[in-house]
Amino acid sequence: YTPDTGPRVRVNQVAYLPKGPKNATLVTDATAALPWQLKNSSGTTVAHGVTTPRGVDASSGQNVHSIDFSSYTRGGTGFTLTADGETSRPFDIKGDSYRDLELDALKFYYTQRSGIAIDDALRPGYGRPAGHVGVAPNQGDTSVPCQPGVCDYSLDVSGGWYDAGDHGKYVVNGGIAVAQLMSEFERTKNAATAKPIGSLAIPESGDAVPDILNEARWEQEFLLKMQRPDGMVHHKIHDQNWTGLPLLPNLDPQKRELHPVSTAATLNLAATAAQAARIFAPYDAAFAAKNLAAAKKAWAAARANPGLLASPSDGNGGGTYDDADVSDEFYWAAAELYITTGEAQYRDFVLASPHHTADLWSPSGAFDWGHVAALGRIDLATVPNDLPGRAAVRTSVLDGADRYLAIVNDHPYGLPFNPGDYFWGSNSAILNNMVVLGAGYDLTGNVKYRDAVLQGIDYLLGRNALNQSYVTGYGEVASKNEHSRWYAHSLDTSLPNPPHGTLAGGANSGLQDPVAQAKLTGCKPQFCYIDDIGSYSTNEEAINWNSALSWVSGFIAGQGDG
Ligand code: 9MR
């Protein structure tokens, strides 16, 4: 299987900022520098220079040169870059694409909602009946029993977002996703370059609450419902058995089951509810208070039950989201509870945790659903609080930003990611490393960190070995067949493709699905991706991946015209 990757000049197919860095990658056998030309939409050369040979890039196996055309600072549309007899796919030089991308990445969540009909007037082409509200053939999420032998009660766990292209709902992944949306909002209060986030065209639009919080609340309400009276939180709720594709949520006939409580899920609720308590306070005091009480109760329950781990073999009908080490979840929860309350017990826990001073900045990724210490560390650094020794916390985040900056500068494709093999959800890891860079910029105003974020997004939008964007609707060639039971257009043409702004999981050397195994064997890391709906390990959509995309695109949107 040899994909047609098109012209050998790889660019960000969406947009560079007029005053931002502008970099491209040329794939070539040549070892000596070559001339390049930047052309405007009428084909006139507006800038030129020579490439920088970079040798063989390990992530793609390609011999590459880099092209830096940052000196061109005028806006426009329909530019191309030519080198070595090849002309790139077209791109714009302008700032406003990233505001659209931020909003589209956030609009993604309404169409992921469970428990409510999706209004076609708000999302033309995407209307569908409510999923899992107890209307046949659904068995409904309004009264869900436990797996046999796990508990003898049922809970109303309706609502929330479907995790990804499946119909499951998982607290630890909902937790990181809703936290990232709340942080994207919270950043607008604390960061100099952040701008307010507009309407998301959701049913709540026009009320007195910012839409990004309206959307986050849809998930947070669900997370609260997963908590038992004793404070512990069920890890997940999903179908008894895996279902096939396509299958609209309202047509899922499977038995729904609550899975055991876990320490990780309980701490995720402690963290997100603590964050929600401070963020929603100006808008809804009762909801804020409810969250604070839930967070404290969850914290106490997790302290009393620190070792209830989700089983790595509980993967029938849904993902496992198992995690053998929840010490980072304790740290994240303590950090959020401290920022919100200022109480000594949380402060002391934070200061005593090994995660408070550990090096979190791995080349493979600063954080993900199972590694959440950096969420706490970054919030302690960027959200106002009185933590003793806070200057060192801020310095530690800058250490992370410096680490990813060095990787960007060293990488011929300019991304802040250098793990050797790529893994499931790699695109979100790349974006989350850009969040660390963005935090570095917010803390210092030093444009070297901002420019590294701007360069990092190029990879997601086309400057990569496959010469394609990973965001549906963005770029001349973009992912559009992400794995989803209801966006299964390639299996049933009466269904739509995913909405614009949907991020694909990305290259995964692990080849953990049958399509990837059949088509991608032997792939170099960047080539371990296929835009096939069956390739769930490289091409799924997911709530924790779009949250990273929306945070980063919001950051870039705030840089205006560079
Ligand atoms: O994102 C998850 C990834 O880190 C794991 O390696 C993978 C296998 O356990 O599961 C991913 O999460 C999936 C979840 O299990 C079920 N819903 C879809 C998620 C995205 O593919």
Side-chain angles (χ1 to χ4, degrees), residues 17-21 94-95 441 447 450-451 454 556-562:
L17 297 192
K19 291 178 200 134
K94 65 186 172 81
Y441 177 69
V447 294
R450 181 203 67 175
D451 287 353
L454 297 175
I556 298 173
Q559 309 311 318
D561 280 347

Side-chain angles (χ1 to χ4, degrees), residues 285-440:
F287 184 61
K290 181 180 177 181
N291 274 285
L292 187 57
K296 290 181 166 182
K297 195 169 186 176
W299 174 259
R303 292 281 274 164
N305 300 278
L308 291 179
L309 302 181
S311 166
S313 54
D314 187 16
N316 201 22
T320 55
Y321 284 114
D322 60 298
D323 183 353
D325 180 358
V326 298
S327 60
D328 53 318
E329 280 77 7
F330 270 107
Y331 175 71
W332 178 34
E336 297 302 336
L337 278 157
Y338 174 69
I339 293 169
T340 298
T341 68
E343 285 178 21
Q345 58 164 323
Y346 307 120
R347 178 197 66 206
D348 293 347
F349 192 98
V350 162
L351 295 175
S353 167
H355 294 285
H356 193 51
T357 48
D359 179 352
L360 304 174
W361 321 115
S362 152
S364 58
F367 59 94
D368 63 25
W369 62 263
H371 303 87
V372 293
L375 295 174
R377 184 90 67 81
I378 292 170
D379 275 2
L380 286 168
T382 58
V383 178
N385 66 80
D386 296 324
L387 189 74
R390 187 159 173 246
V393 177
R394 294 161 78 101
T395 301
S396 78
V397 173
L398 297 182
D399 290 344
D402 286 330
R403 181 85 48 84
Y404 296 122
L405 174 64
I407 295 174
V408 166
N409 288 336
D410 192 46
H411 201 303
Y413 277 99
L415 60 157
F417 186 66
N418 187 16
D421 284 343
Y422 284 23
F423 48 83
W424 199 316
S426 62
N427 282 343
S428 74
I430 296 163
L431 286 160
N432 284 337
N433 293 349
M434 292 158 68
V435 170
V436 179
L437 287 161

Side-chain angles (χ1 to χ4, degrees), residues 275-293:
Q275 191 179 10
R278 63 175 184 266
I279 287 177
F280 283 91
Y283 303 102
D284 185 337
F287 184 61
K290 181 180 177 181
N291 274 285
L292 187 57

Side-chain angles (χ1 to χ4, degrees), residues 163-164 166 170 319-321 369 424 536 540 542 545:
D163 186 58
D166 60 337
Y170 313 86
T320 55
Y321 284 114
W369 62 263
W424 199 316
Y536 49 84
E540 193 156 351
W545 302 340

